[in-house]
Amino acid sequence: MRKRVVLSNTNALEVEGLQDLSKNMVGDKQYIGKVLGLQGQTVDGLRAVEAFKAQQGWGLFRRPGVLVREETVRIGERLNTFKTNGVPRLVLDGNRGAGKSLMLLSSMAMAFVKGWIVVNFPEAQELTNAVTEYTPIPDTPLYSQNAYVATLLAAIAKANSTILDKLEISQKHPNVPIPLQSNITLSRLCELGARDPEIAWPIFEAFWSEITASGRPPILMALDGLQYIMTESEYHDANFKKIHAHDFAIIQHFVSYLSGKKSLPNGGAILAATSRSHAPKSKSVELALQQALERQDGGLFTEKDPWEKTYDARAEMALASVEVLKLGGLSKDEARGLMEYWAQSGVLRQRVDERTVAEKWALAGNGIVGEIERGALRTRI
């Protein structure tokens, strides 16, 4: 029940003239300030990778739609130009309610319509807060979370079925402890790992080797709650010492691509979003993100506090070369487009004019989207 999300409300009005997000719209500036609907296949993929969150208010509307912000177009442009500008390794940051998780969802929606393979870690805290089983991987310093990886493989297979059903394995995988047919599809390969958690990690390694082989589609890998994987976890080793998050194989896999240590041969994008609600405090993450913003702006470079003892060297190395996209409030044009969509859906029962938009925008801390929703849709006077 904690993850139950209602994506449709038959009592809401159907918005006339609502355009659906398509491949040609990705990165197009003319759609800034407009809400675009999501096609059924895209919705199914997003639901499978758990991109929708229960607190985002999807049950108020007839069907899901996303607001195209200026930052949405910037990400879309990076997705379109990865061949010339390189694979984006991007961290989304911003105040609570600024729309970081929704921006991740919009990015995944764009990847789905472009025909990419999408891999999503919807709640990073589930990897580090000691709620899933773990076991040491023989002959390595890493730990495997077999039950989580099995669930992840099932989500990947379901979300990307239209692509994976057409791809067959092209390599030998001696580390997989079960025999594999030579013509098995990648979707079926994921299902084998999802069915038996004991072999989930070797299956995931084989699957990743296949989708990064020559001629495969680009990959979008996303994670929500970055701070959780940049510090020690709540798990303990045999000596009852806390295990660092980077010592878990699936986390190390993501971090190696986010840091740039490994690259995606066929292109794609690596996205991570911070959490500003209840994530653990990390001096290293805050410093790394601040330094990344200063590096992008060409300003002064903030140095470490020489008296601070809680810095995490592994987190600093992982975030040393990432890009940071700082999400602020919506512009007034974007806020108006969103409020007009709410009014057309029948959930905002007041006139949407310049005065109303300016009032809601100002009361929401200069356009913080979560506060606009709270003030316009969830507050009753």
Side-chain angles (χ1 to χ4, degrees):
M1 291 297 293
R2 181 176 66 87
K3 293 187 176 182
R4 179 174 177 268
V5 180
V6 177
L7 296 180
S8 178
N9 183 352
T10 55
N11 293 320
L13 299 177
E14 183 73 38
V15 178
E16 296 183 4
L18 180 65
Q19 294 179 278
D20 286 339
L21 177 66
S22 65
K23 181 179 179 179
N24 296 332
M25 296 178 179
V26 175
D28 195 333
K29 295 182 179 180
Q30 68 172 313
Y31 296 102
I32 293 178
K34 296 182 180 180
V35 174
L36 298 177
L38 299 176
Q39 300 175 8
Q41 185 175 344
T42 305
V43 172
D44 292 341
L46 293 171
R47 186 197 288 271
V49 298
E50 298 183 21
F52 298 107
K53 303 295 177 67
Q55 68 272 21
Q56 290 173 341
W58 301 105
L60 297 174
F61 306 97
R62 189 82 173 191
R63 63 189 184 98
V66 293
L67 173 68
V68 180
R69 302 173 57 170
E70 181 181 347
E71 294 85 356
T72 312
V73 171
R74 289 172 60 184
I75 294 177
E77 290 174 343
R78 293 302 306 274
L79 299 185
N80 289 336
T81 60
F82 71 86
K83 291 183 179 180
T84 55
N85 296 331
V87 173
R89 295 179 288 112
L90 193 62
V91 174
L92 306 178
D93 192 22
N95 294 326
R96 181 180 179 181
K100 300 181 291 297
S101 296
L102 278 170
M103 191 59 65
L104 273 185
L105 183 147
S106 297
S107 302
M108 285 185 272
M110 290 188 286
F112 275 122
V113 299
K114 287 173 69 66
W116 290 15
I117 296 173
V118 176
V119 179
N120 182 42
F121 302 89
E123 295 284 352
Q125 61 179 325
E126 295 179 351
L127 290 163
T128 61
N129 62 2
V131 298
T132 186
E133 62 187 51
Y134 66 111
T135 183
I137 299 177
D139 303 322
T140 73
L142 301 177
Y143 295 81
S144 173
Q145 295 164 296
N146 294 331
Y148 185 93
V149 175
T151 303
L152 177 65
L153 285 170
I156 293 172
K158 187 175 181 180
N160 303 282
S161 59
T162 56
I163 300 174
L164 300 182
D165 285 342
K166 301 175 183 178
L167 301 177
E168 297 180 354
I169 62 171
S170 59
Q171 306 171 14
K172 300 292 184 180
H173 301 286
N175 293 331
V176 175
I178 60 173
L180 298 176
Q181 297 176 356
S182 60
N183 62 343
I184 190 174
T185 66
L186 298 190
S187 180
R188 176 61 178 162
L189 180 66
C190 290
E191 291 173 0
L192 293 176
R195 181 181 300 175
D196 186 357
E198 293 301 320
I199 62 172
W201 178 246
I203 290 289
F204 180 84
E205 290 184 307
F207 168 74
W208 194 263
S209 175
E210 290 289 345
I211 63 174
T212 53
S214 177
R216 303 301 197 188
I219 302 168
L220 176 87
M221 193 157 46
L223 178 140
D224 201 353
L226 179 66
Q227 294 98 320
Y228 286 101
I229 66 168
M230 292 295 164
T231 184
E232 290 183 335
S233 72
E234 296 300 321
Y235 294 93
H236 295 82
D237 62 12
N239 297 319
F240 208 70
K241 294 181 179 179
K242 283 193 172 182
I243 302 172
H244 196 282
H246 292 187
D247 289 330
F248 289 98
I250 193 66
I251 295 178
Q252 179 60 38
H253 174 81
F254 178 83
V255 170
S256 63
Y257 284 93
L258 179 66
S259 64
K261 183 178 180 180
K262 294 182 179 179
S263 60
L264 296 173
N266 303 311
I270 311 296
L271 303 180
T274 60
S275 173
R276 296 299 179 184
S277 53
H278 60 280
K281 298 293 184 182
S282 173
K283 294 282 188 180
S284 295
V285 171
E286 299 302 326
L287 178 65
L289 297 183
Q290 180 65 30
Q291 290 177 338
L293 286 171
E294 292 167 347
R295 185 169 59 246
Q296 291 166 198
D297 296 337
L300 296 176
F301 201 69
T302 302
E303 299 292 341
K304 275 187 177 181
D305 183 351
W307 309 108
E308 180 59 55
K309 297 182 179 180
T310 60
Y311 287 120
D312 190 318
R314 299 175 75 173
E316 293 170 8
M317 291 178 60
L319 300 175
S321 60
V322 298
E323 299 177 57
V324 177
L325 179 59
K326 190 82 170 181
L327 295 181
L330 303 179
S331 68
K332 288 187 177 179
D333 289 338
E334 293 168 349
R336 179 161 192 153
L338 184 60
M339 291 175 66
E340 287 176 348
Y341 171 74
W342 291 344
Q344 291 173 328
S345 297
V347 295
L348 179 60
R349 299 187 178 182
Q350 62 183 113
R351 187 172 184 175
V352 180
D353 53 20
E354 187 174 345
R355 178 178 178 180
T356 304
V357 172
E359 174 190 332
K360 301 297 183 185
W361 184 86
L363 292 175
N366 290 354
I368 299 298
V369 63
E371 297 301 323
I372 295 178
E373 180 189 3
R374 181 182 301 177
L377 302 186
R378 302 186 184 275
T379 301
R380 294 290 182 263
I381 299 177

